[in-house]
Amino acid sequence: MDLGISGRKAIICASSRGLGKGCAMALAEAGCDVVLNGRSEAALNATAEEIRAKFDVTVTAVAADVSTAEGQKALLAACPNPDILVNNNGGPPRKDYSTLDRDAMVSGVIQNMVTPIELVQAVIDNMCDQGFGRIVNITSMSVRMPIEGLDLSSGARAGLTAFLAGVSRQVAGKGVTINNILPGKMDTDRLRGGFERAVEQSGQTMDAVRAAQADEIPAKRFGNPEEFGQTCAFLCSVHAGYITGQNVLLDGGLYPGAF
C-alpha cells in the first residue's frame, strides 16, 4: 500500500533501537525523511547507517536526551517543522509504588507525560497551518491493564492519554491527528530485562520463562518492532486521516476486554 507520505519529514524520538527504531524503519520505507534520536551515539549512528543503506531518504541523527530542554531544542533545530512526530521515551525502572519518593515521581512524569506534551506544543501549530500532521505517542498496554511495579510509568502515560484526548479533538478539523499505540509484550530489551528478573526469582531457565510468558498471550508469541512500526506508519498515512484520539492496542489479544 502506498501510504501517501513520501517526502514528508518525521521526528521519531528514542529511535536508535526497539520500538522507536521499528517506527523509523517503517516511515523511511514509506519515503519519509527521518530525524532519529537516542542517547547512545554508537547505537544511533548504527541505526542511521542501516536506514541509509536500505532506503533512499534523508536520515539525520540527533544524540540527545529528549526529556531535557536542550535535547528538544536539538531535535527541533534538525527539523523545525515536521509533518510527523512520534513521541517515545524510556520509562522509569520497575519499582514498588511504596518506595517511590517525590524526585522519582517528578522524573517519571517528566519522561512520560511532560516531554511529549512539550514536543506536541512545539510542532502542532505548523501542522495545523499546513493542513496536515500526524502525532503518534508510544505509551503502554499498562495504561489499560495495570502491571505491578510500573505504576509510575502507567500513571504518567495515562495522564498523557487524557491530556491529548481533548487536544486531538481541537485539531482534528485542521488535518492533524493524534493517536496512541499501546504495546503489550514486545520482543525488546525492556522485555528481556523482565525475563532476567524472572529467571533470578524463579530459578527457571530463560527458555522456560520465555515460553511461559508467550503462552499467556492468545497469539502465543511476542510482538516485534517491525510490525509495531508498520502500524505506526499506517497511522501516519493519508489513509488514517479519520482516525484520531484513539488508543491502538498491539498486544496479541492479551488485554481481556471487549472494548
Side-chain angles (χ1 to χ4, degrees):
M1 179 187 293
D2 181 357
L3 299 184
I5 50 176
S6 180
R8 295 286 187 181
K9 301 183 296 295
I11 292 176
I12 308 99
C13 301
S15 48
S16 62
R17 59 186 181 179
L19 301 182
K21 178 181 176 180
C23 294
M25 295 288 286
L27 288 167
E29 183 181 10
C32 294
D33 294 329
V34 294
V35 176
L36 309 181
N37 161 247
R39 287 180 289 182
S40 168
E41 197 162 351
L44 182 63
N45 289 337
T47 295
E49 286 305 315
E50 184 179 351
I51 293 176
R52 291 186 187 108
K54 289 184 177 181
F55 308 112
D56 185 20
V57 298
T58 299
V59 181
T60 305
V62 178
D65 181 354
V66 73
S67 296
T68 66
E70 294 77 16
Q72 292 178 28
K73 286 178 183 176
L75 270 180
L76 294 167
C79 185
N81 295 309
D83 305 293
I84 294 165
L85 169 66
V86 179
N87 274 315
N88 185 33
N89 203 6
R94 186 183 293 263
K95 199 170 185 180
D96 186 85
Y97 77 94
S98 63
T99 65
L100 294 169
D101 59 21
R102 177 181 286 265
D103 288 344
M105 287 188 278
V106 169
S107 177
V109 171
I110 288 173
Q111 283 179 287
N112 294 149
M113 180 179 174
V114 174
T115 293
I117 291 172
E118 288 175 333
L119 287 169
V120 169
Q121 289 175 319
V123 305
I124 201 165
D125 286 347
N126 184 72
M127 290 180 175
C128 290
D129 289 344
Q130 71 181 9
F132 179 92
R134 298 288 185 264
I135 297 170
V136 176
N137 307 294
I138 300 177
T139 61
S140 172
M141 181 184 70
S142 68
V143 169
R144 288 191 177 176
M145 180 178 168
I147 298 174
E148 185 178 347
L150 294 182
D151 312 283
L152 177 55
S153 171
S154 303
R157 296 183 198 276
L160 174 68
T161 302
F163 187 102
L164 292 178
V167 177
S168 68
R169 274 73 183 182
Q170 292 179 47
V171 299
K174 298 177 181 178
V176 179
T177 68
I178 304 176
N179 293 291
N180 311 302
I181 307 181
L182 286 57
K185 293 190 175 184
M186 312 297 291
D187 199 359
T188 62
D189 290 343
R190 189 173 178 88
L191 183 67
R192 289 187 284 273
F195 294 156
E196 291 168 1
R197 284 191 298 273
V199 167
E200 291 174 3
Q201 293 169 0
S202 68
Q204 294 180 303
T205 65
M206 179 66 75
D207 287 345
V209 167
R210 283 184 64 93
Q213 292 202 23
D215 194 55
E216 296 174 357
I217 305 168
K220 302 302 178 186
R221 67 175 180 87
F222 304 115
N224 61 67
E226 292 75 23
E227 62 193 333
F228 187 94
Q230 293 295 337
T231 301
C232 176
F234 176 76
L235 288 175
C236 295
S237 75
V238 296
H239 310 297
Y242 209 53
I243 302 173
T244 198
Q246 301 304 305
N247 293 286
V248 180
L249 272 167
L250 263 69
D251 69 345
L254 183 59
Y255 174 70
F259 301 100

